[in-house]
Amino acid sequence: MRAQETTGVAFTGDDERGRAQRFREAALPHLGDVYTLARYLLRNPADAEDAAQECYLRAYRHFATFRGGPMKPWLLAILRNVCRAEYARRGALAAVQADGSDDAADEASENLWGEASPSPETVSLSRFDAETVQRLIAQLPDAFREVLVLREINDLSYRDIAEVTGSPVGTVMSRLARARALLRDAWLAEEKGS
């Protein structure tokens, strides 16, 4: 009782549970987008998982300071800071390691719902295309790769990307145009080489 008299407010376990529930409802729908960006920034699935986890820990810790608005850009900005500050310092930027085991599990679960199995040729071509695109995106310079992933994969607006990266909208637009041109040129060079 004394704590209530001196501070005027006493926090209960219900307050913490409510905060945790609000955070889960607002933040967890974006976990896939957070992981995807981390995977592209860090180029390593294990480091991406660690970064996503650290992002959510920091976001939860600072959830009381969240001013409202879209949750996704706020989370991606936190993730970007995590990747730059902690994982870049450790030298965790390594080559992307393609892992097809997750793809096989996803295909098996989709086929449980009665969808027709794609032909082996279709699977092979789509896997080749997906792996090629991932590899080509991974080869882009950091600034271009980041805006391309935020726009094309995470579907953020230019304004949200500017907020996440701390860049003016015009810079975001020019980086995105340059990233698309670099990716297109790399794809065409890849096709000529095949």
Side-chain angles (χ1 to χ4, degrees):
M1 227 23 184
R2 202 152 204 59
Q4 281 183 329
E5 292 172 11
T6 59
T7 64
V9 177
F11 292 102
T12 66
D14 291 337
D15 294 335
E16 185 61 28
R17 281 191 293 273
R19 178 175 161 239
Q21 180 64 30
R22 287 190 308 278
F23 178 76
R24 278 193 299 273
E25 289 171 358
L28 285 182
H30 306 294
L31 183 59
D33 293 328
V34 167
Y35 174 76
T36 298
L37 179 60
R39 176 106 188 237
Y40 277 101
L41 291 177
L42 298 174
R43 304 178 185 189
N44 181 295
D47 288 340
E49 289 173 7
D50 291 344
Q53 183 177 11
E54 178 64 24
C55 169
Y56 272 77
L57 287 171
R58 287 183 185 188
Y60 181 70
R61 205 172 313 138
H62 300 285
F63 187 55
T65 64
F66 179 62
R67 296 175 300 210
M71 173 68 74
K72 189 173 172 180
W74 185 66
L75 288 170
L76 295 176
I78 292 170
L79 174 73
R80 184 174 186 262
N81 290 336
V82 166
C83 292
R84 298 246 189 260
E86 294 188 15
Y87 294 98
R89 183 185 67 224
R90 289 187 353 196
L93 297 176
V96 173
Q97 298 174 358
D99 181 13
S101 61
D102 292 342
D103 295 336
D106 290 343
E107 285 178 27
S109 67
E110 286 176 9
N111 288 337
L112 289 175
W113 297 103
E115 295 178 6
S117 298
S119 69
E121 294 84 9
T122 304
V123 170
S124 178
L125 285 174
S126 65
R127 183 170 292 139
F128 172 75
D129 286 348
E131 289 172 0
T132 301
V133 169
Q134 286 178 350
R135 183 174 43 78
L136 294 176
I137 290 173
Q139 293 172 354
L140 291 174
D142 291 344
F144 299 126
R145 183 177 62 247
E146 183 177 50
V147 296
L148 188 70
V149 170
L150 288 170
R151 177 69 187 137
E152 302 301 339
I153 296 174
N154 289 328
D155 199 29
L156 291 184
S157 68
Y158 294 148
R159 183 170 302 176
D160 289 342
I161 296 169
E163 183 180 320
V164 169
T165 62
S167 304
V169 174
T171 302
V172 168
M173 293 170 68
S174 65
R175 284 182 185 167
L176 188 56
R178 182 76 175 130
R180 288 174 176 155
L182 289 170
L183 185 60
R184 181 180 50 250
D185 293 345
W187 181 265
L188 292 173
E190 184 80 20
E191 282 185 338
K192 286 180 183 177
S194 299

